[in-house]
Amino acid sequence: MKKLIIANWKMNYGPIRAGGWIRAFRRERLPKDLDIAVAVPFVSLAAARASLGRASIPTLAAQDCFWANEGAFTGEISPTMLTEFGVGLCLIGHSERRANLGETDEMVARKAAAAQKAGLMPVICVGETAAQRKRGEAAKVVRSQVQTAIAEVKGDGKAPLVIAYEPVWAIGTGRPCSPLDAKEMHEQIRGVLRKKYGHLAEEIHIIYGGSVDTRNVAEYMTTTGVDGALVGGASLDPRNFGLICRAAVPA
Ligand code: 13P
């Protein structure tokens, strides 16, 4: 399958800087055999869309959505609103939201189902904390996160799903998970997907996130079962993100 690389700006770049990033990234030489998306803050979607014009690379992604399409939910953004910007993917349940805003697996499940229904591909983020890994619970925690999150998510159709394995201890620390540990966890995740989706599970991207950079991305991409990467800090510079995309797919 084609690899998938997603930039996650997190809470960086308002509309003024978003356009510049998109224009600079558009000047990068990009491998054809790679799907590329960029997850921008809600308020920067319009600027990013305007800078993209008719170009379809990178695909626009959102960093979150709510589980209802309209109604009395002050401050929330619905999946159908996101489709008006041509958003194709939506991160769901990023660990920073779980940690800072108390998002639970059940909330993640509702959001993922709603995103998919609206035609957005949910990128469901899962991952254990350092303490959970230390206690030997990593696989159990991650399997359960995935199981709950995909309860109402379909494995086929135009917007299936992506699972992003992002161990909390590897995010923003410069201490990435070893490719071997990532491989093992991706196998666990694939197992959960197989139980629910059967043969369709083989087509679902399971991507890795956590301190991915220009130096280590190639190693992940050549690791069996790692179908792409979710890149935070190293994606903030458009040229650096271009380098990552080129390193991901050897010419
Ligand atoms: P870093 O690449 O900065 O570690 O962030 C990873 C991440 O959380 C992407 O969603």
Side-chain angles (χ1 to χ4, degrees), residues 88 115-122 153-161:
Q116 190 183 55
K117 250 197 193 136
L120 300 176
M121 177 144 34
V153 172
K154 295 190 173 65
D156 54 3
K158 73 176 161 74
L161 68 150

Side-chain angles (χ1 to χ4, degrees), residues 48-95:
R49 170 52 55 205
S51 298
L52 266 175
R54 287 173 189 277
S56 56
I57 300 168
T59 303
L60 281 188
Q63 298 179 7
D64 176 43
C65 71
F66 193 60
W67 55 70
N69 279 326
E70 57 187 15
F73 302 103
T74 303
E76 295 299 332
I77 305 286
S78 80
T80 49
M81 289 173 181
L82 295 172
T83 61
E84 293 183 25
F85 294 99
V87 167
L89 297 87
C90 186
L91 306 186
I92 306 280
H94 193 283
S95 71

Side-chain angles (χ1 to χ4, degrees), residues 8 10 91 94 96 166 170-173 209-212 230-234:
N8 177 11
K10 308 191 177 184
L91 306 186
H94 193 283
E96 287 151 11
E166 296 204 300
I171 295 178
T173 56
S211 298
V212 172
L230 182 51
V231 187

Side-chain angles (χ1 to χ4, degrees), residues 29 50-52 54 65 72 75 81 90 107 129 154 179 190 200 202 210 215 219 224-225 242 249-250:
R29 188 170 43 78
S51 298
L52 266 175
R54 287 173 189 277
C65 71
M81 289 173 181
C90 186
M107 290 159 80
T129 63
K154 295 190 173 65
R190 188 84 61 194
L200 292 173
E202 312 310 320
R215 286 158 305 167
E219 203 180 347
T224 311
V249 180

